[in-house]
Amino acid sequence: MLKPITAQARDVRSSRRLSLLSASRQALSYLLASPQALSAAVTVGLAFAVIQITNLLLPGFVIRSLDGDSGLFGLLEMAAAITGMVALAVVGFPSIAKRLQGLTPAILAIAGVSLFLFSLAPNRAIAIVLYCVAGMLWKVSRAAANGHLLTVVDAGMIGRVQAFTALLTGGFGLAIYLIPTIAPGASEATLYMACGAAIVACVGGLSLWTAGQERSRKS
């Protein structure tokens, strides 16, 4: 409501608003023409997918694989949250952040590997340690993915690209939450392994595709 009022008061013509469909179409066209931006957008979705997978499968994994209860579940979540915040604070230092530039795919792939390793935890103590490491990797990979997106997208398109990325993330979430329905007989440990391997494969394939597209554009 304030936008037309302030525009009229300053004798400034309000910019034409785009519909959701038009904005999404423009964002998709922009991403298809920019391999780096498309790769960054998909990476953001994959980074969030790792967190969604973990939250979805953790309760059943705690009960059936670790013989735990809500206390262990809460301990794992608390430990991962604390270590994740500490990791974000550490990588926030300019010297460390500079060293991590360009390593977002590698960090995300290692985060996928952490899902696989966590599924193999033989007891609660090791599970807690692995989950702490995983929590750090998930937080850092998500922050790095979002930061990388801002550096490769033009300023005039960042809003539309972020909105499209949110839709892409929702699509990943929809597929992830259907996993227990698609594979009702699989254990949480097996699903952790499969999802971890899928994340690593997606990151590897995306990196190869991006590199190939960049070489084609330069040649």
Side-chain angles (χ1 to χ4, degrees), residues 150-172:
L150 295 176
T151 63
V152 298
V153 176
D154 295 334
M157 289 295 299
I158 188 61
R160 294 169 214 176
V161 170
Q162 284 184 323
F164 185 81
T165 302
L167 293 176
L168 184 64
T169 301
F172 278 118

Side-chain angles (χ1 to χ4, degrees), residues 15-36:
S15 60
R16 182 175 63 87
R17 293 184 179 180
L18 292 172
S19 66
L20 177 61
L21 181 60
S22 298
S24 298
R25 186 168 57 248
Q26 288 187 10
L28 180 59
S29 299
Y30 173 81
L31 290 173
L32 291 176
S34 176
Q36 285 286 349

Side-chain angles (χ1 to χ4, degrees), residues 53-66 115-116 118-120 179-180 183-196:
I53 292 167
T54 306
N55 291 337
L56 175 67
L57 300 178
L58 185 60
F61 182 77
V62 167
I63 294 173
R64 283 182 276 275
S65 296
L66 299 177
L115 289 176
F116 191 95
F118 180 64
S119 70
L120 300 175
I179 289 176
S187 66
E188 288 78 12
T190 301
L191 293 177
Y192 268 135
M193 291 182 183
C195 290

Side-chain angles (χ1 to χ4, degrees), residues 74-216:
L75 177 61
L76 287 168
E77 290 285 22
M78 179 186 68
I82 293 173
T83 54
M85 293 303 296
V86 171
L88 286 179
V90 171
V91 300
F93 288 103
S95 58
I96 298 178
K98 187 175 182 180
R99 293 180 182 178
L100 295 179
Q101 287 182 354
L103 296 179
T104 301
I107 297 172
L108 182 56
I110 297 173
V113 172
S114 70
L115 289 176
F116 191 95
L117 295 178
F118 180 64
S119 70
L120 300 175
N123 55 59
R124 298 183 183 184
I126 295 179
I128 292 172
V129 173
L130 289 175
Y131 203 70
C132 286
V133 174
M136 291 188 288
L137 290 168
W138 301 332
K139 292 286 188 181
V140 172
S141 65
R142 186 178 179 187
N146 280 289
H148 180 61
L149 181 67
L150 295 176
T151 63
V152 298
V153 176
D154 295 334
M157 289 295 299
I158 188 61
R160 294 169 214 176
V161 170
Q162 284 184 323
F164 185 81
T165 302
L167 293 176
L168 184 64
T169 301
F172 278 118
L174 177 62
I176 289 166
Y177 288 121
L178 287 175
I179 289 176
T181 303
I182 297 173
S187 66
E188 288 78 12
T190 301
L191 293 177
Y192 268 135
M193 291 182 183
C195 290
I199 292 293
V200 174
C202 287
V203 172
L206 186 62
S207 298
L208 291 175
W209 177 84
T210 304
Q213 291 295 312
E214 288 296 322
R215 285 195 298 267
S216 299

